[in-house]
Amino acid sequence: MEKYSLLQLAKHALSGHRHWPPAWRSPEPKQSYDVVIIGAGGHGLASAYYLAKKHGISNVAVLEKGWLGGGNTGRNTTVVRSNYFYPQSTHFFEHSLKLYESLSRELNYNVMLSQGGVLTLGHSRHDMEILERWSNSLQLQGVDAEMMTTEQIRRHTPLLDTSRAARYPIWGGFIQHRGGVARHDAVAWAYARGADDRGVDIIQNCQVTGIRTSAGRVQGVETGRGYIRADKVAIAVAGHSSTVAAMAGLKLPIVSQSLQAVVSEPVKPCLNGVVLSGLVHAYVSQSDRGEILIGGGTDRYPSYGQRGNLPLVEETLAATLNLFPRFSRLKLMRQWAGTVDISPDSSPIIGKTPVAGLYISGGWGTGGFKAIPAGGETLAHTIASDRPHPLIEAFGLQRFVDGALIDEGAAAGVAH
Amino acid sequence: MMQIECPWCGKRDEEEFTCAGQSHIQRPQNPRQNSDSEWASYLFERSNPKGVHLERWRHTFGCRQWFNLARHTVSHEILAVYPMGAAVPEHISTAGDGAVEEVVA
Amino acid sequence: MSEKVGSGPLQRLDTRHRVDTGKPIRFTFDGKTYTGCAGDTLASALLANGVKRLGRSFKLHRPRGLLGAGREEPNALVQLESGGFDEPNARATLVPLYEGLKARGQNAWPSVERDVLALLGVLQRLLPASFYYKSMMWPSWRFYEGAVRRLAGLGKVPQARDAQQYHKRNLHCEVLVVGGGAAGLAAALAAAGSGLRVVLMDDQEEFGGSLLGENRFIGGRPAAEWIAATLQRLSAMADVILLPRTSVVAYYEHNFLAAVERVSNHRGPGADLRRARERLWRVRAAQVVIATGAIERPLVFADNDRPGIMLASAVQTYLNRYGVAAGRQVVVLTNNDSAYRTALELHAAGVQVAAVVDSRGDVNGPYQQALQDRRIPLLAGRMVRRVKGRREVRAVTLAEHLGGGKLGGDKETLTCDLVAVSGGWTPTVHLYSQAGGRLDFDAGKACFVPAGCAQAVAVAGAAKGEFGLRGCLAEGYRLGAAAARAAGAAQIADITAESCDDWPQAPLQAYWFTRDAAAEKQWLDFQYDVRVSDIELAWRENFVSVEHVKRYTTAGMSVDQGKTSNINALAVMAELSGRPIADVGTTRFRPPYHPATIGTFAGREVGEGYAPRLLLPAHSWHLAHGAVMEDMGWQRPQCYLRAGEDFDAAVRREVLAVRRSAGMFDGSPLGKIEVKGPDAATFLNRLYVNNAITVKVNAGRYGLMCNENGVVIDDGVFVRLADDHFMVHTTSGGAVRIYQWMEEWLQCEWLDLQVIVNNVTSQWANVTVSGPHARKVLQQLDSDIDFDAAAFPHMQFRRGSICGVEARVLRASFTGEISYEISVPARYGLGLWEAVYELGQAFDITPYGVESLMVLRMEKGYLHVGADTDGTTNPLDLGWAAPIDRKKDDFIGRRSLSRVNDLRRDRLQFVGIEAVQAQAPLPVGGHMVSCANPVLPEQTQGYLTSACISPTLKKSIGLGLVAGGRARMGEAIHIYADGNSVAAKIVSPTHYDAEGVRLNG
């Protein structure tokens, strides 16, 4: 693999950048692989990368119906953080954040991790009690979290309306300083390049149309480009988990919904990190290019539409202006939607399935991007050893039978 | 934004309605006789099709009445509106998901 | 070689144009004052004043002049006005000139004219597409990030709050025509007059579309006359709505569209601030006709981004509409016939046309003939090889074009100060694509055209690839009538298109880029500095899918969203990868078509308009008596401050008053749901964890409700008013939710139950009187209810009249003292409050707020669902195993309580907490740990959910959820919060009056 660096960039500049090698190959699918991963999004690609790197399994195909990184990986609002409430979640997401912190070097690809902090706002006495509960939970787990007064918030993010006259005044908040954003495309491309370099076949424009099983064991997958044999198959298609799992006869505790997001025209830097509010529901950040990136909620009905819709955007932008009145005259540049898997407890479903040799990573809700490195690493471990990685033991399908839900939203009272 | 025909009020914007997901999920007659996994299946498992979905909606900002909808989850085309408790209209098929998607993809 | 073309302000041409030279308008740009005239845009006025550089590119800070004259403009972005009128990234081409307009160049330092950052151009070799992914990893991205961020961005975020307001309107119509050019006007005319509601929206300052910038004839008369006549006919019709300055920006499913009307934008800070700046139209149309025209493409050759290289259509528009010659000596460079009109019109206006350079080798039609007739040189089979002039074009050197972008030997060098380019036309299919429409690539016209859509939409005119004027009219008339018929119009007459001055056109010959010129000098996306070399790099590195190309090179991601660059970029990729353009495909068109003000989408939902405040019936009284209000859904008094008192002191005083004498509380938000019908008891018995059947008439019972997952969702006292009639009290925050939940069960699951429910929360005002003297207070009231202890015991309910008003009284307590909850119709709420207050003076009655109530109920250990429970708490965690065992029947959530996890012994259970040091405050939100100085990470054992220093007990107490807590009474524990911990012990939740003596007194 050609090393990326400033020096290398300078060297290639001398030859007009005419000699850069492809970032990945476009191989024809083979007839059989040790492992087939369905979905070349962040999770699928990361899983393939770690299978090859940490488990020496490189006879792996990642099948993608469109173009790699084109699903939710390329449509999300790129927030990374580990400020979850329950220890199971925090351990997992903290591991992921740590992997993010070294990802650019690990993959020799600048994923532009920008740790400007994730600031969660409280708008009432009750909110503040919940935030206190939440940040103390993090502190106990050794994760950085700090309560902030309204005055500290005003200094940190002067554009926020911190006045008492606001319709929902800001009472305070808590910040995870290590949280922030990363460049979504770069994460997918970095893993793709790394996996490809280790021999993984990434096969784009190859839709899986069926999963063959026999006696409760997976045999391989039918695709638009022929049948591919594999002893182990992993589904990493969050947004479409139900439809792919149905190919193996599985019915999942998931509904798919459209998550709406918008981005403004670029402006000079004016906002550090990510600001989010549960009551005045929006989360806001600024990209390296200067665009203000705004997310809200999902359209509240099942949808695979991947289309922007108006009502939720009106709602989210109204919320945004109540937090940031000075954004009023900025212009909205693009609106889009991703199809997200919503699980009953808003926590992921990752691990083994009732079909032997079939694994799943889904149910990521609106938070799959931040989970990519840890999701990939733990899924790879689970595939390689046929046992759930300790970090994801709590996130298997069995929890719905036992009633052991990990309901982050319910515990925190704030959407995530 | 969808326009939904409330059986009582007529065509209204999506914003007036609330969707509660999949319809025709029968609550077990005697839950204590169900195994944990049967109960989990009732509680959590959903068909979530990429295609025609049978779901229940309430005209929240209107007559507050619930009704059923057969709707395509990609195109959002509404194929039928029918009362709670009624059977799925005959012309509705939830098989063969792909057709409408081709038109809008 | 070339001589320099003279510079200095250009004169307004003495031709027929649409600006009023008799009305001068003064404005400033980058601190200099200029004069334009009424009808100008900022762009046309600057052009008329000889200002050549209006912007700098995003990445390399290249000087940039105007490329276009309208919505497609990628370069001329300015920061408009300041203070509450500050707007970054305003397109100079879309800003109508008004008196006193102030604009500044942006993304440049110190100015657009002399931008120091242009030095970045020297480094451009180091900055190919996505260079940042390959570099700046050592020592870390953080090291570079600040500097990179500062270089990025365009304008600056507004300096102040928006001084203007925004409105919204909903609109339903049978036919919506988008675009008021030739095709759109024709479509509207054809659809109108049949009684249908027809709406025509156009995004320019006036109707006419591209005709405004052309010198065309319809029916033998100037097009302007046809436009005026058509508008006159339309505006005379009652059912037609004409909306100029209205951009349709989004086309959603079910024929729902969003449009932004610029109501008073065009007046700048002088606008009437009582009026909206912009208005969002939310349109539901039965039929839509899209007539959005087409956008001209630039040609791709070396240094094609120099100021002075402009779209031929823009040159034509500045000439015909604004009376401005964009140059003195013009070279027209084209691969199709449309730009010939620009040459002919410039010539007719007296502007010197140095030559028309045509990339096509063999062209000979009426346009070429017309050039010959006027002795305008035609250089066919040529392309520009070099552009002379860094800050503005001074000359171009031509080369022979061998076809396919390959150049032969050098040919002429032409001195010029303007190059008018045309690379063909791109139909504006954005809305059609947003609607779900498919696109086909028309190789002959070298553009994507509409090819079918499931929604009720038709496309007319240039948006469909019809580039002849008469064709546009004919299509407009035909599709307008067809839309009206489809929408149900019976009597629609067909209109025959007028004759037009169309000339037969020779076919366009696609020219995508120049093979024999440095790829890094050929610009595709002018704003984000995306060049042919970037597409080459993407291709080389296997970023070949159209979405990868876009994301890797950022082509089309800039503010103009690729209006002039998308097709060129994907054509370059197609050529490089040897695929047909149709196979490469386009990226998905996403709303909005054109950037739209964020404030417009928020409308009036800003500030106080964001959410209405729910006011209690006695709100005014509370305010007049020192209430500290907080928004808890309702505006609720937290406590009532007396002079010189702080919040804590007020709470302490109020709590003690309730314990010693009597207090009064505004409990109006308490959830009240009436449940009535023969099956009401059966229904409630299915909802409540405890038994609802055995409750007697006029008695109340405290109940818990779970969801089907076994989680506690609400609690409260329900009262049996009659055999078939209950009043269910919910938490204040839960009323709507529980009411809707009840209806869902009744309407969706238990259709056989005969029950109706009604949420009457806001119908009844509630005054709760609590304290040892509560009864005596009530006995002062004029009432037919017997409040005697024996006649009206705890958890009983009475109906009667109080002060002559129908009243419902429930004796139930959330304070631990004798309490009566008196409800009267909401309109008597203030009256009842005042009456109780007055009569209660004898007992020193004290109004108390929510915060005091919280202390009172905490002392008593009463659960507050939502604060003392979380989204996992089940009834067993609250100690409800026994009542559940006693109940035979099923209830919602019961089955879930027997799952493995619900039976765990180490679940978080509801307990009381007491601080070891009586005055050490306990931190709400603190976590239970086993030692005072935990070594992190430490396992949490639960958390404190409520706490106070009890005024009654004079000690620090709390409530919490603790792992296996009920079996740990008396155990020492530490509560950790923000680096400190407080020693405490686990106790019963009931800190006060465990025997309930006071309650039942």
Side-chain angles (χ1 to χ4, degrees):
Chain A
M1 187 167 77
E2 170 114 7
K3 191 169 161 51
Y4 288 165
S5 69
L6 196 59
L7 195 69
Q8 204 67 6
L9 200 62
K11 205 183 97 189
H12 277 282
L14 295 177
S15 57
H17 300 284
R18 279 188 194 85
H19 303 294
W20 286 106
W24 46 74
R25 300 162 294 129
S26 293
E28 283 301 313
K30 295 191 283 189
Q31 289 188 342
S32 105
Y33 289 92
D34 294 342
V35 178
V36 161
I37 295 170
I38 306 172
H43 281 275
L45 293 166
S47 302
Y49 171 79
Y50 290 113
L51 269 176
K53 186 185 177 216
K54 298 187 79 168
H55 304 279
I57 303 172
S58 57
N59 186 21
V60 176
V62 186
L63 309 182
E64 170 55 50
K65 77 171 171 184
W67 37 282
L68 70 88
N72 291 333
T73 305
R75 292 166 189 273
N76 69 88
T77 47
T78 76
V79 176
V80 294
R81 60 184 178 88
S82 65
N83 55 352
Y84 282 74
F85 183 75
Y86 286 112
Q88 300 95 317
S89 314
T90 310
H91 290 157
F92 176 84
F93 285 101
E94 175 63 12
H95 183 62
S96 205
L97 183 54
K98 284 192 175 132
L99 290 177
Y100 258 120
E101 286 172 326
S102 58
L103 200 61
S104 293
R105 286 198 191 190
E106 163 78 22
L107 298 171
N108 180 228
Y109 207 101
N110 188 359
V111 301
M112 301 171 99
L113 175 68
S114 167
Q115 293 177 292
V118 171
L119 171 62
T120 306
L121 302 174
H123 300 274
S124 67
R125 196 181 309 270
H126 179 71
D127 274 4
M128 293 312 294
E129 290 174 1
I130 298 286
L131 295 186
E132 187 73 53
R133 183 193 294 178
W134 189 359
S135 71
N136 283 324
S137 172
L138 287 165
Q139 290 176 19
L140 278 181
Q141 291 167 66
V143 174
D144 81 291
E146 191 186 319
M147 293 297 291
M148 283 175 99
T149 63
T150 310
E151 176 56 24
Q152 286 170 318
I153 289 172
R154 191 185 63 75
R155 268 180 273 132
H156 180 269
T157 310
L159 281 180
L160 271 171
D161 182 358
T162 46
S163 69
R164 295 300 298 173
R167 177 61 185 85
Y168 290 108
I170 294 166
W171 281 57
F174 96 89
I175 189 164
Q176 179 179 28
H177 290 291
R178 286 162 57 245
V181 292
R183 187 61 70 80
H184 54 3
D185 289 331
V187 172
W189 298 345
Y191 275 117
R193 175 166 165 266
D196 177 86
D197 181 58
R198 285 174 166 75
V200 170
D201 283 357
I202 302 166
I203 301 160
Q204 303 181 70
N205 301 308
C206 179
Q207 181 160 14
V208 171
T209 54
I211 298 175
R212 256 192 229 177
T213 61
S214 166
R217 253 214 97 75
V218 79
Q219 306 293 316
V221 295
E222 317 272 3
T223 79
R225 290 160 75 171
Y227 178 67
I228 300 173
R229 252 181 306 122
D231 291 338
K232 294 181 173 181
V233 173
I235 300 171
V237 295
H240 289 74
S241 296
S242 297
T243 53
V244 176
M247 293 175 191
L250 298 178
K251 201 172 173 187
L252 298 176
I254 280 176
V255 289
S256 298
Q257 295 186 341
S258 276
L259 177 67
Q260 302 283 335
V262 299
V263 69
S264 80
E265 294 183 343
V267 284
K268 293 291 174 189
C270 62
L271 182 61
N272 284 321
V274 185
V275 174
L276 62 94
S277 165
L279 179 71
V280 184
H281 188 48
Y283 45 97
V284 184
S285 64
Q286 185 172 24
S287 73
D288 286 322
R289 267 198 282 272
E291 302 142 336
I292 306 294
L293 194 53
I294 302 168
T298 58
D299 281 334
R300 297 165 193 102
Y301 47 84
S303 172
Y304 290 88
Q306 293 195 335
R307 292 186 298 273
N309 196 5
L310 190 63
L312 204 88
V313 164
E314 292 177 280
E315 226 174 89
T316 305
L317 291 178
T320 304
L321 292 192
N322 279 279
L323 298 171
F324 296 96
R326 279 163 63 184
F327 287 168
S328 176
R329 291 173 93 92
L330 292 187
K331 290 186 281 290
L332 183 70
M333 187 165 75
R334 263 199 306 278
Q335 171 194 11
W336 70 95
T339 302
V340 296
D341 281 0
I342 307 286
S343 68
D345 55 0
S346 310
S347 282
I349 296 169
I350 175 166
K352 298 174 69 170
T353 70
V355 178
L358 183 68
Y359 308 87
I360 189 163
S361 165
W364 291 106
T366 62
F369 178 70
K370 65 180 79 71
I372 285 172
E377 198 186 87
T378 54
L379 185 67
H381 177 278
T382 308
I383 294 168
S385 63
D386 198 36
R387 271 208 310 272
H389 187 283
L391 278 175
I392 57 164
E393 270 171 349
F395 294 109
L397 281 164
Q398 184 63 27
R399 75 176 187 273
F400 299 102
V401 176
D402 296 341
L405 271 56
I406 304 165
D407 200 335
E408 285 291 333
V414 176
H416 67 294
Chain B
M1 180 161 67
M2 295 189 287
Q3 192 176 38
I4 297 171
E5 179 140 23
C6 168
W8 309 101
C9 307
K11 288 181 174 172
R12 294 288 189 279
D13 283 349
E14 158 190 333
E15 298 166 289
E16 296 186 13
F17 298 85
T18 311
C19 178
Q22 189 179 337
S23 200
H24 304 288
I25 298 173
Q26 186 68 49
R27 187 171 193 271
Q29 285 297 310
N30 192 347
R32 273 180 273 196
Q33 286 174 359
N34 291 122
S35 67
D36 279 358
S37 78
E38 284 164 349
W39 183 246
S41 161
Y42 155 71
L43 272 184
F44 301 125
E45 282 175 15
R46 297 295 177 261
S47 60
N48 196 27
K50 187 172 188 173
V52 177
H53 189 231
L54 308 175
E55 56 199 16
R56 66 195 198 201
W57 287 75
R58 177 185 62 222
H59 193 188
T60 308
F61 300 103
C63 62
R64 305 197 316 256
Q65 297 302 299
W66 287 88
F67 55 90
N68 283 315
L69 213 61
R71 185 181 60 95
H72 198 284
T73 56
V74 180
S75 69
H76 296 175
E77 185 192 350
I78 294 167
L79 305 156
V81 178
Y82 59 103
M84 290 311 310
V88 183
E90 274 174 18
H91 69 279
I92 300 300
S93 158
T94 51
D97 293 348
V100 185
E101 186 192 350
E102 293 308 312
V103 181
V104 295
Chain C
M1 278 293 286
S2 62
E3 74 258 37
K4 191 170 174 3
V5 180
S7 63
L10 298 167
Q11 296 302 313
R12 208 60 81 151
L13 292 165
D14 189 21
T15 51
R16 187 172 53 211
H17 50 65
R18 303 183 75 85
V19 297
D20 188 347
T21 48
K23 289 187 185 158
I25 294 179
R26 284 159 65 85
F27 68 100
T28 65
F29 176 70
D30 261 347
K32 272 192 204 156
T33 303
Y34 301 94
T35 306
C37 43
D40 261 330
T41 61
L42 174 58
S44 67
L46 286 170
L47 194 63
N49 282 281
V51 178
K52 298 245 168 140
R53 285 159 297 275
L54 275 66
R56 290 276 169 170
S57 64
F58 184 84
K59 184 161 133 183
L60 301 174
H61 291 258
R62 306 260 296 187
R64 288 290 160 72
L66 289 165
L67 179 72
R71 216 147 278 275
E72 72 286 3
E73 173 60 33
N75 296 331
L77 300 180
V78 299
Q79 185 101 22
L80 194 61
E81 303 300 344
S82 56
F85 299 90
D86 196 348
E87 181 188 345
N89 307 333
R91 298 311 166 283
T93 52
L94 298 177
V95 177
L97 206 62
Y98 50 81
E99 186 61 38
L101 180 148
K102 287 189 178 61
R104 286 160 287 152
Q106 53 183 37
N107 197 34
W109 189 85
S111 72
V112 165
E113 273 299 318
R114 312 208 182 287
D115 181 8
V116 172
L117 296 166
L119 287 170
L120 282 169
V122 179
L123 297 174
Q124 61 166 294
R125 272 273 166 117
L126 279 174
L127 311 174
S130 284
F131 68 95
Y132 30 81
Y133 296 143
K134 292 185 175 124
S135 58
M136 298 186 280
M137 287 173 271
W138 184 89
S140 74
W141 166 239
R142 182 186 290 249
F143 181 76
Y144 303 89
E145 192 189 349
V148 171
R149 277 185 176 248
R150 277 191 293 280
L151 285 174
L154 287 165
K156 290 180 180 145
V157 76
Q159 300 164 331
R161 273 171 193 260
D162 202 328
Q164 291 177 283
Q165 51 176 318
Y166 302 86
H167 295 175
K168 294 184 188 179
R169 276 182 72 175
N170 291 302
L171 180 66
H172 294 260
C173 63
E174 276 73 41
V175 179
L176 170 68
V177 179
V178 185
L185 284 167
L189 192 63
S194 59
L196 298 180
R197 292 165 297 180
V198 175
V199 178
L200 174 64
M201 293 181 168
D202 182 78
D203 67 1
Q204 294 203 64
E205 293 295 303
E206 52 182 325
F207 287 101
S210 61
L211 289 175
L212 298 172
E214 297 171 9
N215 186 13
R216 299 298 302 264
F217 287 81
I218 295 174
R221 300 204 317 252
E225 290 179 26
W226 179 84
I227 295 169
T230 307
L231 284 172
Q232 199 176 5
R233 287 174 67 188
L234 286 170
S235 48
M237 291 188 244
D239 295 321
V240 175
I241 299 176
L242 298 176
L243 286 169
R245 294 196 188 92
T246 305
S247 316
V248 178
V249 293
Y251 197 140
Y252 301 104
E253 62 217 4
H254 293 202
N255 258 17
F256 181 77
L257 299 93
V260 175
E261 180 188 1
R262 304 186 302 284
V263 181
S264 61
N265 275 24
H266 53 295
R267 302 190 193 283
D272 180 350
L273 296 186
R274 289 167 303 182
R275 296 193 69 197
R277 178 182 180 226
E278 293 178 0
R279 179 180 292 129
L280 182 72
W281 290 87
R282 307 161 94 242
V283 189
R284 184 80 67 178
Q287 299 286 327
V288 175
V289 178
I290 293 176
T292 44
I295 291 172
E296 199 166 24
R297 288 192 294 267
L299 281 164
V300 183
F301 52 91
D303 287 326
N304 60 334
D305 70 324
R306 297 290 191 208
I309 299 179
M310 196 184 283
L311 293 174
S313 57
V315 171
Q316 192 183 18
T317 298
Y318 288 117
L319 174 71
N320 291 313
R321 186 167 174 183
Y322 302 104
V324 180
R328 290 183 155 78
Q329 191 162 336
V330 186
V331 169
V332 175
L333 180 66
T334 185
N335 68 345
N336 66 85
D337 279 358
S338 72
Y340 282 69
R341 278 195 185 266
T342 304
L344 295 171
E345 288 168 8
L346 284 168
H347 177 83
V351 179
Q352 193 181 346
V353 178
V356 172
V357 179
D358 197 321
S359 66
R360 298 171 295 182
D362 184 22
V363 278
N364 195 4
Y367 287 102
Q368 289 72 26
Q369 188 58 49
L371 289 189
Q372 205 179 347
D373 294 348
R374 291 162 180 78
R375 296 165 189 249
I376 302 171
L378 170 63
L379 300 168
R382 298 274 197 284
M383 182 42 69
V384 169
R385 185 194 291 284
R386 267 188 303 279
V387 175
K388 195 171 173 199
R390 279 189 175 279
R391 292 166 53 79
E392 56 195 75
V393 174
R394 286 190 286 130
V396 290
T397 300
L398 306 181
E400 191 182 354
H401 178 222
L402 305 173
K406 294 191 185 71
L407 301 187
D410 274 7
K411 296 283 182 183
E412 304 79 357
T413 290
L414 303 173
T415 300
C416 59
D417 63 349
L418 179 69
V419 183
V421 295
S422 178
W425 293 81
T426 302
T428 304
V429 291
H430 300 62
L431 292 173
Y432 184 78
S433 170
Q434 288 175 24
R438 281 181 295 111
L439 303 173
D440 275 349
F441 191 75
D442 182 326
K445 293 170 178 163
C447 60
F448 282 95
V449 292
C453 181
Q455 299 212 49
V457 57
V459 186
K464 196 186 192 175
E466 170 57 65
F467 299 129
L469 182 52
R470 187 159 195 271
C472 285
L473 290 174
E475 280 283 88
Y477 288 135
R478 188 176 69 77
L479 292 170
R485 283 190 197 103
Q491 305 243 306
I492 286 288
D494 288 313
I495 305 175
T496 309
E498 294 86 343
S499 63
C500 298
D501 55 342
D502 290 315
W503 296 354
Q505 295 208 359
L508 161 154
Q509 197 178 70
Y511 185 98
W512 296 120
F513 69 108
T514 307
R515 298 264 179 184
D516 305 300
E520 70 267 24
K521 286 186 161 187
Q522 302 184 54
W523 262 256
L524 295 164
D525 185 320
F526 291 79
Q527 198 167 78
Y528 272 2
D529 285 318
V530 180
R531 295 155 291 171
V532 171
S533 57
D534 297 312
I535 307 288
E536 281 181 357
L537 184 62
W539 169 67
R540 197 170 290 131
E541 297 192 87
N542 205 11
F543 290 87
V544 289
S545 115
V546 62
E547 281 283 352
H548 280 165
V549 176
K550 171 182 132 185
R551 286 155 184 262
Y552 192 72
T553 65
T554 72
M557 292 182 75
S558 57
V559 170
D560 67 18
Q561 293 283 284
K563 290 189 177 64
T564 55
S565 61
N566 276 347
I567 302 296
N568 282 343
L570 70 93
V572 171
M573 177 50 83
E575 297 261 303
L576 291 172
S577 56
R579 289 176 292 171
I581 290 174
D583 284 7
V584 177
T586 62
T587 57
R588 193 151 178 172
F589 289 95
R590 288 165 173 159
Y593 162 63
H594 183 79
T597 311
I598 286 178
T600 313
F601 291 89
R604 306 182 86 143
E605 289 177 24
V606 289
E608 281 299 303
Y610 181 56
R613 291 188 194 259
L614 281 171
L615 305 185
L616 299 168
H619 184 76
S620 57
W621 192 96
H622 298 317
L623 282 187
H625 291 78
V628 179
M629 288 290 184
E630 215 177 281
D631 194 305
M632 308 179 78
W634 295 79
Q635 304 295 309
R636 304 193 72 175
Q638 299 302 299
C639 62
Y640 300 80
L641 291 185
R642 287 185 181 168
E645 204 177 40
D646 69 7
F647 191 92
D648 291 346
V651 170
R652 214 160 35 238
R653 172 180 52 74
E654 291 173 10
V655 168
L656 291 173
V658 173
R659 293 274 180 245
R660 286 172 192 158
S661 178
M664 59 189 292
F665 175 77
D666 193 334
S668 303
L670 179 73
K672 297 173 270 299
I673 300 169
E674 296 213 21
V675 178
K676 192 169 184 180
D679 298 316
T682 308
F683 173 58
L684 290 181
N685 202 44
R686 291 181 190 178
L687 296 190
Y688 276 109
V689 168
N690 41 332
N691 196 318
I693 306 263
T694 53
V695 179
K696 300 205 164 52
V697 173
N698 280 338
R701 181 170 290 175
Y702 173 74
L704 278 186
M705 287 184 194
C706 289
N707 63 18
E708 197 71 296
N709 192 34
V711 171
V712 174
I713 55 169
D714 208 76
D715 70 341
V717 175
F718 58 101
V719 176
R720 194 162 203 162
L721 305 177
D723 267 350
D724 64 345
H725 192 183
F726 288 81
M727 170 68 94
V728 169
H729 293 107
T730 71
T731 55
S732 300
V736 172
R737 184 167 42 85
I738 296 299
Y739 165 58
Q740 292 183 343
W741 188 66
M742 286 178 166
E743 287 214 316
E744 185 173 358
W745 284 108
L746 285 170
Q747 290 186 36
C748 301
E749 191 70 35
W750 299 319
L751 283 77
D752 54 322
L753 292 188
Q754 293 189 50
V755 179
I756 53 170
V757 295
N758 198 5
N759 179 7
V760 297
T761 300
S762 56
Q763 319 296 314
W764 296 90
N766 175 292
V767 178
T768 296
V769 182
S770 184
H773 293 148
R775 181 178 305 114
K776 291 178 199 153
V777 173
L778 262 66
Q779 283 167 339
Q780 307 293 309
L781 291 167
D782 171 20
S783 176
D784 55 0
I785 300 171
D786 184 356
F787 290 106
D788 189 70
F792 193 167
H794 184 54
M795 289 309 255
Q796 287 287 305
F797 170 85
R798 297 291 180 267
R799 270 195 265 206
S801 113
I802 288 179
C803 305
V805 174
E806 168 198 10
R808 295 174 166 189
V809 184
L810 171 65
R811 189 174 161 191
S813 176
F814 201 38
T815 62
E817 304 294 335
I818 300 170
S819 296
Y820 300 89
E821 299 178 354
I822 312 167
S823 297
V824 293
R827 64 187 178 283
Y828 300 115
L830 178 57
L832 176 68
W833 181 272
E834 286 174 334
V836 172
Y837 183 69
E838 200 174 308
L839 294 169
Q841 288 309 307
F843 306 94
D844 195 21
I845 196 163
T846 304
Y848 63 99
V850 172
E851 194 57 25
S852 304
L853 177 70
M854 285 297 124
V855 171
L856 288 159
R857 66 100 200 160
M858 234 182 280
E859 292 177 337
K860 182 67 184 166
Y862 284 144
L863 181 77
H864 183 206
V865 169
D868 297 320
T869 63
D870 67 19
T872 66
T873 308
N874 74 22
L876 306 176
D877 303 332
L878 303 176
W880 274 56
I884 291 172
D885 277 348
R886 281 199 298 276
K887 182 168 177 172
K888 297 280 179 291
D889 304 315
D890 187 33
F891 58 83
I892 300 297
R894 179 166 200 156
R895 175 64 185 80
S896 291
L897 301 179
S898 55
R899 294 174 304 192
V900 179
N901 191 62
D902 291 80
L903 296 171
R904 269 182 20 236
R905 281 163 188 276
D906 62 345
R907 286 180 63 90
L908 296 182
Q909 295 172 337
F910 181 57
V911 296
I913 300 289
E914 195 178 304
V916 170
Q917 288 181 310
Q919 294 305 309
L922 291 168
V924 178
H927 282 251
M928 315 286 170
V929 291
S930 39
C931 62
N933 297 302
V935 179
L936 305 182
E938 164 88 14
Q939 175 77 36
T940 176
Q941 298 178 38
Y943 37 86
L944 194 73
T945 55
S946 309
C948 66
I949 308 267
S950 163
T952 315
L953 305 167
K954 299 192 171 49
K955 60 183 181 181
S956 176
I957 58 166
L959 301 170
L961 292 169
V962 176
R966 271 201 318 286
R968 297 170 64 180
M969 290 299 150
E971 198 178 306
I973 201 152
H974 291 84
I975 302 174
Y976 170 90
D978 296 314
N980 301 306
S981 67
V982 183
K985 66 176 177 186
I986 302 170
V987 296
S988 154
T990 316
H991 297 283
Y992 178 70
D993 187 28
E995 301 74 29
V997 177
R998 303 180 67 89
L999 189 67
N1000 291 301

